[in-house]
Structure formats: C-alpha cells, structure tokens
Amino acid sequence: MQTQNTAQSNDVLLEARNLNKFYGPFHALEDVSMELKKGDIKVICGPSGSGKSTLIRCMNFLEIPEQGDVIFKGEKVEDSAKSLRALRSQMCMVFQSFNLYPHLTILENCTLAPIWVNKTPRKEAEEQAMHHLERVKIANQANKYPSQLSGGQQQRVAIARGLTMNPEVILFDEPTSALDPEMIKEVLDVMISLGNSGQSMVCVTHEMGFAREVADSVTFMADGQIIETGNPDEFFTNPKTDRAKDFLSHVL
Amino acid sequence: MVVIAFLSTAFIEVARSVPMITVLFVASIMFPFFVPEGVEVDKLLRTIIAVSLFAGAYMAEVIRGGLQAVEPGQYEASAAMGHGYWQSMRFIILPQALRISIPAIVNLFIGFFKDTTLVLVIGLFDLLNMVLSATSDPKWLGFEVEGYVFAAAVYFIFCFSMGHYSRRLEAKQKQR
C-alpha cells in the first residue's frame, strides 16, 4: 500500500489542491483541484471569464491563490523567493501576448534566463538556444528583434525561450488567441511536436482540434469551477454535463 | 522595505513642493547654523549637493513613470522565466523603462541646466552672472550686447544639442 502511494505521487508532476482565488468580491476560482501526470498534455477550456487563465497563472504563482496548495514534484510551493525560483526555473509559461523582451534580439531573448538563472556559460547557452530555435524553425531570424517578426514567429520564439530552461512543464495561456488565423497552425504544429516528444504541458486554449488530437485529458471550466474532466474522445463525443454540451455546441 | 519606500515618498513629495530658491537658501544660509562650530563645507559643494537632491526627486518621478509604462507582461514574463527582482530590473525592466523615459529625462536636464542661473541669488556665479559682472568692468564698456549674445549662444547650443540628441535616441529606439 505504502509503495503504491509513492509510485502514484511520483507519477503526478503538478497538482493543484482546492485552490480559491478572489478578485475583491469576485470568486475567480472555487475549490479547484487538478493534477498533471508526467508526459501528459492537459487542455483546459471553457467560456471566457471561467477562471481558466487564473488557474494556469496560479500554477506558477503569477497569481497567488488565497487558499489551497500547488504541489510540484511532490513539494508544496511556498510564496517565497527561493521556492518560486526553484519552481519557475523548471516550469515555463507561454503567454497570449508573447511577452518577448522587445529590446533584446531573438537569440538574447533565449539566452538571458539560462545564463543568469541557470548560470550556463554564454557559449553553451547560445548553442542550446540555437538548437531550440531550430526546433521551432526560426533559427535564421536569431539576430532580429521581436518587432521585426510576425505574431506566429514571435510566439514560436516565446516557446523556444521557454524550452531553453529545459522545463518539466510548459504552461500555455491561450497561445494562439492573439494570432491571425493563418499563423495559428504554425504555432499549433510546434505544440503538437512538443507533445509528441513527451513534453508535459498544460494548455488553456480554444483550439478544440488541437485538444482532440493531442490532449491526454480535457478539463472544462465555467464560473470558476471545474465542471468536468475526461479524456478528449469522451468529452467531445459525449459530454456529461449540459454546461459542457452547450459550450461545445458553440465552439465546434 | 516599507520604511525605505515611505522615506523616499516623503522626500520626493517635500522636494517637489518646495521652490528651488528655497533649497538654495537653505543650503547656503541655513545649513551652516545646523553644523557644529568649526565644521565648514564649501558653499559651492553645498549648493551642488542641494540641487542634486532636488533634481533627484524630479528624476525619481520620471523614472517611476517609465517603470509604470513598461507592459505588465514584461514583469510577468521575467518572473515566469525565473528571474528574481534584481535580475529582472537590470536586464528586462529598466532598459525599457529608461528608454521610455528619455524624452522626459532630457526635458528635465534642459530645465535644470537653465535653472542653474538661480544660484545668483545666493551669490554664486554661473555663466550668465559672470557676463553680468563683466559688464561692470570698464574694459567691457560697449560690449555688453556681445557678452549677452555669447551667453545666449552657449545656452542655446547646450539645450539644442541635448534636445537633438534625445530625438536621435528616440528615433533609434523606434527602429526596434
């Protein structure tokens, strides 16, 4: 029994336990719990204002939940500089609005954290950055500045920037929502290839095709609560709740 | 941290609500009353320190504006990448905040550069006051206008170059 428990907890990479988050009187997250197993891809979907972005931002403490715990690799995350540095150096986030550093070149964007957070020697960091930029097929733009790139290219750089930290988990916060339709695919392709290589990911997204294709589980949220969680086949073909049925009828 | 923040705010608010002439008078006339007998600080040095502190308060507000103008996403991205406060300030936030502040900083420089003539009231001599006193020299008789025009030219060249340099920096920054 004891051994089974440890095996189980080792399997779970990231866990949220009974998170509660308030914005003034607004209850943004109500007792939300979820877990991510190593190598899994979890898609969180739901109507806007449902708390899905808040949830994913609580995972790396960009938003600090008022109640509840985030457990990463078996350890409870504390709101202290040391604990957060340990958490964030192993977990990266891709934002809706890319948030590349506009005053630095693409290559510098991708080497800053490895050099200063992980203390990687510059030369090695640059080689690794180029490797990851090649992975997202943008290595030839390494010396340009972010504003010289298209939205899709910028988002791929943002993914590469995260990969340079060799993260255990990548959090995607609506990575394609700010993109023109023709650029969505190039970003999704990168995400799919990451998923196929065994990268653990949590994705808040409206791309239901993506969810169907690669997700290991889909979580549907509404009004700050998790309404249902299931594997994608089940969720898309036979949602259990009316709320989910209603949502799917609008997005599919 | 809270104490430092409070003291800084208090200093900035006081400094900004006092006219520069008051600061100059305090530095040149009041200050010697407060130091023990025998201790003497050079008047020019006192004035320089006082004006620096005074200008520092204005500069602090300009930089604060720059910091607030940096997109929140930049703070979030640097935090999410694992940078601590100092690293994120040094590499990500301040480089952007200072660039945003360039026009306001140069504006401040030009203003204070011209305000230096106020030291006349406490009996110090800057360029303009030099010309003023030179005109009472018999050797200068009949060249007062030339003297003033020269002073004006010096001020113009300094201020114009500062403004021009600022515009060039801004243009360079826009290319990115």
Side-chain angles (χ1 to χ4, degrees), chain A residues 57 60 62 85 88 91-93 95 99-103 112-113 116-117 119 145 147 161-162 165, chain B residues 71-84 87 90-93 95-96 99 175-176:
Chain A
R57 288 161 62 86
N60 68 352
L62 279 184
R85 208 175 313 135
R88 287 167 176 170
M91 179 192 274
C92 70
M93 186 171 229
F95 297 88
N99 293 350
L100 293 176
Y101 312 134
H103 60 300
L112 195 63
W116 291 97
V117 178
K119 313 286 180 216
Y145 286 92
S147 61
R161 176 175 72 175
M165 299 296 281
Chain B
E71 278 178 59
Q74 295 291 315
Y75 290 87
E76 289 179 354
S78 59
M81 290 301 290
H83 296 288
Q87 278 188 11
R90 177 173 160 203
F91 297 114
I92 296 143
I93 307 302
Q96 297 184 58
R99 266 176 214 180
Q175 284 172 5
R176 299 206 168 153

Side-chain angles (χ1 to χ4, degrees), chain A residues 6 28 42 46 56 82 85 124 170-171:
Chain A
T6 19
K42 183 174 216 47
I56 201 172
K82 194 167 163 248
R85 208 175 313 135
E124 202 185 317
I170 307 183
L171 308 174

Side-chain angles (χ1 to χ4, degrees), chain B residues 24-83:
Chain B
L24 290 175
F25 272 122
V26 169
S28 70
I29 297 162
M30 305 286 285
F31 183 74
F33 292 130
F34 295 112
V35 292
E37 199 90 20
V39 178
E40 210 163 300
V41 186
D42 181 58
K43 190 178 182 184
L44 180 63
L45 183 65
R46 291 198 311 256
T47 315
I48 288 175
I49 292 174
V51 173
S52 303
L53 288 173
F54 187 70
Y58 282 86
M59 185 63 96
E61 281 299 292
V62 168
I63 304 285
R64 187 179 61 83
L67 286 173
Q68 283 174 343
V70 174
E71 278 178 59
Q74 295 291 315
Y75 290 87
E76 289 179 354
S78 59
M81 290 301 290
H83 296 288

Side-chain angles (χ1 to χ4, degrees), chain A residues 210-226:
Chain A
F210 169 80
R212 215 170 214 171
E213 196 173 334
V214 297
D216 293 295
S217 79
V218 177
T219 294
F220 174 70
M221 289 184 75
D223 303 325
Q225 292 169 320
I226 290 182

Side-chain angles (χ1 to χ4, degrees), chain B residues 149-171:
Chain B
V149 167
F150 175 73
V154 169
Y155 278 105
F156 176 77
I157 288 168
F158 271 88
C159 294
F160 182 76
S161 338
M162 279 196 270
H164 199 75
Y165 182 59
S166 141
R167 232 166 305 151
R168 255 188 40 203
L169 282 179
E170 280 172 62

Side-chain angles (χ1 to χ4, degrees), chain A:
Chain A
M1 194 64 203
Q2 194 62 44
T3 44
Q4 199 190 351
N5 259 345
T6 19
Q8 208 170 22
S9 63
N10 281 345
D11 210 7
V12 175
L13 187 60
L14 176 66
E15 189 184 349
R17 267 188 211 155
N18 306 101
L19 294 185
N20 276 286
K21 174 79 193 166
F22 299 86
Y23 294 113
F26 179 65
H27 203 161
L29 288 181
E30 289 180 43
D31 240 8
V32 170
S33 300
M34 59 155 268
E35 57 179 46
L36 178 77
K37 291 201 179 69
K38 198 166 170 51
D40 270 10
I41 301 173
K42 183 174 216 47
V43 166
I44 304 172
C45 60
S48 61
S50 60
K52 49 196 197 304
S53 276
T54 310
L55 172 61
I56 201 172
R57 288 161 62 86
C58 281
M59 293 288 175
N60 68 352
F61 269 57
L62 279 184
E63 302 281 353
I64 297 159
E66 269 90 18
Q67 289 163 18
D69 296 327
V70 174
I71 292 132
F72 180 61
K73 295 215 281 193
E75 279 180 41
K76 183 172 174 293
V77 179
E78 307 282 348
D79 183 18
S80 72
K82 194 167 163 248
S83 174
L84 289 187
R85 208 175 313 135
L87 172 79
R88 287 167 176 170
S89 62
Q90 301 175 66
M91 179 192 274
C92 70
M93 186 171 229
V94 175
F95 297 88
Q96 181 175 357
S97 48
F98 329 135
N99 293 350
L100 293 176
Y101 312 134
H103 60 300
L104 299 176
T105 63
I106 300 307
L107 185 62
E108 287 165 338
N109 263 279
C110 295
T111 54
L112 195 63
I115 290 175
W116 291 97
V117 178
N118 285 354
K119 313 286 180 216
T120 314
R122 177 174 296 272
K123 200 152 177 288
E124 202 185 317
E126 283 178 358
E127 278 164 18
Q128 281 174 15
M130 288 309 289
H131 165 73
H132 290 298
L133 286 171
E134 254 153 49
R135 229 172 132 184
V136 300
K137 301 186 183 70
I138 208 151
N140 53 343
Q141 318 268 17
N143 291 316
K144 288 192 177 170
Y145 286 92
S147 61
Q148 295 169 304
L149 268 53
S150 73
Q153 290 174 320
Q154 288 190 46
Q155 194 60 297
R156 284 187 282 146
V157 172
I159 294 172
R161 176 175 72 175
L163 287 174
T164 59
M165 299 296 281
N166 300 316
E168 297 270 354
V169 191
I170 307 183
L171 308 174
F172 289 92
D173 188 3
E174 304 204 23
T176 56
S177 300
L179 296 176
D180 292 335
E182 74 266 28
M183 290 171 186
I184 290 176
K185 191 171 173 294
E186 62 185 62
V187 172
L188 287 181
D189 284 346
V190 168
M191 290 169 66
I192 290 169
S193 82
L194 281 180
N196 291 340
S197 71
Q199 176 75 54
S200 317
M201 316 197 279
V202 181
C203 314
V204 170
T205 183
H206 297 294
E207 295 298 325
M208 292 303 135
F210 169 80
R212 215 170 214 171
E213 196 173 334
V214 297
D216 293 295
S217 79
V218 177
T219 294
F220 174 70
M221 289 184 75
D223 303 325
Q225 292 169 320
I226 290 182
I227 306 291
E228 72 175 274
T229 297
N231 73 47
D233 285 340
E234 224 174 76
F235 177 75
F236 286 111
T237 50
N238 190 16
K240 284 182 245 125
T241 54
D242 291 341
R243 197 80 173 77
K245 273 178 202 153
D246 182 55
F247 174 73
L248 287 174
S249 73
H250 284 95
V251 294
L252 288 182

